[in-house]
Amino acid sequence: GGQIQNAEKGSILNGRFQSLDVRTGRSAGGGYRRMKIGIIGTGPMGRYLGGRWAAQDHDVFIGSHDSGSERAATLAAEIGRGSRSGTYAEAAAFGEVILLAVAWEHAVAVARQLAPELNGKVLLDCNDPGSFEQVDALVGPHRSLAEAITDAAPGAAVVKLFNTIAADEIRVTSDPVFNLRDRPTTFCCGDDQGALRIARSLADEIGFETVYVGPLPNARHLESLAGLAACLSTYDAGFRLAVRHHGNW
């Protein structure tokens, strides 16, 4: 799904992931590289994605708004596999890859607050605004939430990913009871080619097919698509949005 050209160019990550090929998102040996993943937020997205990544032997750190948060500690214990917990800033400082999974209306402010810790890192944005009117009021007209997050943390490599997938769907895809025949589809967009490769490798290893939809301004289309996905779920149209594509993706 999606040809990304010149992955060696235009990436803030070159030199940071020394044992990882930013062209492929994999280690020199061909497998997935163990990464440090900081999760900002203690909600369902962080819970299920953190659990899936920890199960793949990544190091996970759950960050909460409050120091000494019992909820973050409980979540880290539930995920297990050595997962840790602490503040937002501690999670951002820990991670090479950061999942921003807070209430969408706080996403820009949190990214701005953590900008020093996010510098030079992959920042996965899975957030969706409640409506175009709401996001326009927050970040201005004709702009995506993901672009506003980039402005707030300009040193981070932002990738829009998993925003069209509900947390319960992430849980379902890991449950052998459902015996899914096909890999569920998620979409991604971004401007940093190395970050895109890494993000897609993290999605791939937990069972998702990723479809690349272009540069970060296209996140506005993905944020709109998430609204459609919510409607499909409401009207019992099934959780998997099947995508058929042809040509050079």
Side-chain angles (χ1 to χ4, degrees):
Q3 298 296 319
I4 304 175
Q5 303 298 327
N6 300 321
E8 305 90 331
K9 300 178 181 179
S11 176
I12 66 173
L13 307 176
N14 290 324
R16 184 176 183 87
F17 291 78
Q18 294 182 5
S19 62
L20 187 73
D21 185 350
V22 298
R23 294 169 299 173
T24 64
R26 298 195 177 197
S27 67
Y32 295 108
R33 176 188 180 277
R34 182 175 184 175
M35 296 186 192
K36 294 180 178 180
I37 302 176
I39 295 179
I40 310 300
T42 57
M45 289 295 286
R47 174 186 180 188
Y48 294 128
L49 284 171
R52 298 288 299 278
W53 286 324
Q56 297 297 319
D57 205 31
H58 294 297
D59 295 321
V60 172
F61 193 114
I62 304 295
S64 171
H65 182 270
D66 300 316
S67 178
S69 166
E70 182 177 338
R71 181 170 181 175
T74 299
L75 182 53
E78 177 186 311
I79 290 172
R81 300 177 181 268
S83 300
R84 285 165 273 181
S85 65
T87 64
Y88 284 170
E90 289 170 335
F94 170 86
E96 300 166 294
V97 176
I98 311 298
L99 175 71
L100 184 60
V102 297
W104 75 267
E105 61 268 26
H106 301 308
V108 174
V110 170
R112 184 176 296 112
Q113 171 191 342
L114 298 177
E117 290 84 2
L118 296 174
N119 190 49
K121 300 184 178 183
V122 179
L123 181 58
L124 305 180
D125 167 30
C126 64
N127 299 278
D128 282 307
S131 68
F132 281 138
E133 291 77 15
Q134 289 175 313
V135 77
D136 286 351
L138 181 67
V139 305
H142 311 302
R143 300 187 73 240
S144 68
L145 186 62
E147 290 172 285
I149 290 170
T150 295
D151 291 344
V158 176
V159 176
K160 194 78 177 184
L161 181 70
F162 288 123
N163 74 298
T164 59
I165 303 288
D168 279 346
E169 292 157 11
I170 294 168
R171 175 184 59 81
V172 164
T173 61
S174 67
D175 193 332
V177 140
F178 290 92
N179 191 28
L180 298 179
R181 292 180 303 168
D182 300 315
R183 291 159 62 88
T185 300
T186 186
F187 303 91
C188 68
C189 66
D191 296 327
D192 189 293
Q193 307 306 309
L196 283 161
R197 295 291 186 186
I198 292 164
R200 296 179 76 179
S201 75
L202 286 170
D204 177 74
E205 68 178 305
I206 61 172
F208 285 88
E209 176 189 10
T210 57
V211 176
Y212 172 61
V213 299
L216 197 64
N218 287 348
R220 188 166 177 89
H221 302 307
L222 293 186
E223 291 169 5
S224 177
L225 182 59
L228 173 60
C231 290
L232 291 173
S233 176
T234 299
Y235 292 102
D236 198 28
F239 82 87
R240 185 181 187 276
L241 181 60
V243 174
R244 298 289 181 263
H245 51 79
H246 303 278
N248 187 29
W249 280 77

